[in-house]
């Protein structure tokens, strides 16, 4: 799903700054957890936010592809526009609009403890709370006048299709910079936040699906199916 791609992203190899083995969540680095909590609290403090992002996709032996998108959020409600798709959630249900196929899929929003709940932007900043990863700070460096920290997540499920996830944050401001990851088949993703506008006025209509805006679309409501 869309935000799953954006969240469970890449990771390059470890930078070699630690030889510790991380086999369970309890092995995670307390300093990394403290930074992740700073990031989470900062973004959760905004009543609303709008962010523009780019997603670079690198598949072995194929040209690099870069896609751009936008996310808007107001509490538990959000809207994502990305690569011909629009994802709308009112905090209870989720509408996935596939423009090219003229199709709309409707589902209940997953519970917070379900893996699919990463579809929620709030869950992106809470993945460290799940028992699915161990994490540690693997690098700290200066760039464009900022001190950046790289926090690497290791999936604890050996059957995960992802090898690692790496989150880069601004150490001073706790701003999200980018998230990277590798899948085990060698595909790489890089999600970079290019612009952030916190506290932008956003009406509830932004997060409401209006059928009249999608004439001729097939709408499949999966909320009442087993």
């Amino acid at each position: 799903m869309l935000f799953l791609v954006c969240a469970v992203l890449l990771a390059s190899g470890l930078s070699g700054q630690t030889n510790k083995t991380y086999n369970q969540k309890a092995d995670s680095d307390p300093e990394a957890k403290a930074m992740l909590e700073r990031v989470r609290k900062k973004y959760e403090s905004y009543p609303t936010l709008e962010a523009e992002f780019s997603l670079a996709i690198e598949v072995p032996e194929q040209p690099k592809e870069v896609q751009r998108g936008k996310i808007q959020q107001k509490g538990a409600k959000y809207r994502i526009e990305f690569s011909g798709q629009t994802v709308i959630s009112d905090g209870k249900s989720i509408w996935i609009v596939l423009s090219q196929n003229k199709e709309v899929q409707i589902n209940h929003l997953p519970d917070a403890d379900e893996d699919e709940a990463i579809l929620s932007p709030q869950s992106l900043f809470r993945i460290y709370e799940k028992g699915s990863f161990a994490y540690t700070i693997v690098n700290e460096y200066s760039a464009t006048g900022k001190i950046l920290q790289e926090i690497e997540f290791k999936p604890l499920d050996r059957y995960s299709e992802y090898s690692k996830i790496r989150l880069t944050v601004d150490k001073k401001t706790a701003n999200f910079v980018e998230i990277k990851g590798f899948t085990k088949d060698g595909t790489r993703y890089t999600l970079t936040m290019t612009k952030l506008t916190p506290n932008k006025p956003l009406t509830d209509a932004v997060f409401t699906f209006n059928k009249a805006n999608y004439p001729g679309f097939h709408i499949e409501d999966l909320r009442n199916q087993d």
Side-chain angles (χ1 to χ4, degrees):
M1 305 292 266
L2 175 61
F3 212 75
L4 179 62
V5 173
C6 294
V8 186
L9 296 173
L10 331 32
S12 50
L14 286 169
S15 62
Q17 294 193 6
T18 177
N19 293 320
K20 182 176 180 180
T21 301
Y22 292 83
N23 297 315
Q24 55 185 338
K25 182 181 177 183
D27 293 331
S28 296
D29 178 6
E31 185 179 352
K33 182 178 180 181
M35 174 55 74
L36 291 167
E37 289 182 343
R38 283 184 61 201
V39 173
R40 175 182 62 81
K41 289 177 181 178
K42 177 168 186 172
Y43 285 91
E44 289 184 349
S45 71
Y46 298 138
T48 66
L49 66 82
E50 180 177 280
E52 297 176 10
F53 62 88
S54 66
L55 176 64
I57 305 172
E58 298 173 86
V59 179
E61 300 181 1
Q62 295 186 25
K64 179 179 178 180
E65 179 182 357
V66 178
Q67 303 175 358
R68 303 188 185 281
K70 179 174 71 175
I71 178 170
Q72 297 167 298
Q73 183 179 343
K74 182 178 182 180
K77 303 174 183 179
Y78 62 90
R79 182 187 187 100
I80 303 170
E81 298 175 4
F82 177 73
S83 189
Q85 301 181 45
T86 301
V87 180
I88 304 169
S89 177
D90 60 3
K92 298 178 181 179
S93 296
I94 182 170
W95 288 260
I96 300 177
V97 182
L98 307 173
S99 298
Q100 186 173 358
N101 298 336
K102 302 198 72 172
E103 179 180 348
V104 180
Q105 300 173 358
I106 312 173
N107 255 307
H108 288 296
L109 197 66
D111 293 333
D113 58 350
E114 296 181 30
D115 289 342
E116 291 83 357
I118 201 71
L119 281 167
S120 164
Q122 296 94 328
S123 295
L124 171 60
F125 293 111
R126 288 182 173 270
I127 60 173
Y128 71 93
E129 296 179 339
K130 294 176 176 285
S132 305
F133 301 92
Y135 47 86
T136 184
I137 295 173
V138 294
N139 197 11
E140 183 173 306
Y141 61 97
S142 298
T144 62
K146 302 175 182 178
I147 303 297
L148 303 182
Q149 282 188 337
E150 291 180 338
I151 301 173
E152 192 161 88
F153 295 79
K154 177 184 176 182
L156 299 178
D157 181 358
R158 64 176 180 171
Y159 298 108
S160 171
E161 63 181 299
Y162 305 96
S163 57
K164 300 178 185 74
I165 300 168
R166 181 171 290 174
L167 174 68
T168 302
V169 298
D170 185 318
K171 183 178 181 179
K172 180 179 180 180
T173 65
N175 282 337
F176 171 97
V177 177
E178 69 177 20
I179 187 167
K180 295 184 175 182
F182 277 138
T183 63
K184 292 178 180 177
D185 68 2
T187 301
R188 303 182 182 187
Y189 303 87
T190 303
L191 178 72
T192 304
M193 186 178 297
T194 56
K195 182 179 180 181
L196 175 67
T197 308
N199 305 321
K200 180 177 180 176
L202 297 171
T203 67
D204 288 342
V206 173
F207 312 101
T208 302
F209 176 77
N210 188 342
K211 183 178 179 180
N213 293 334
Y214 303 96
F217 277 60
H218 170 70
I219 299 178
E220 185 174 8
D221 193 338
L222 305 174
R223 288 175 292 186
N224 297 321
Q225 298 185 17
D226 294 334

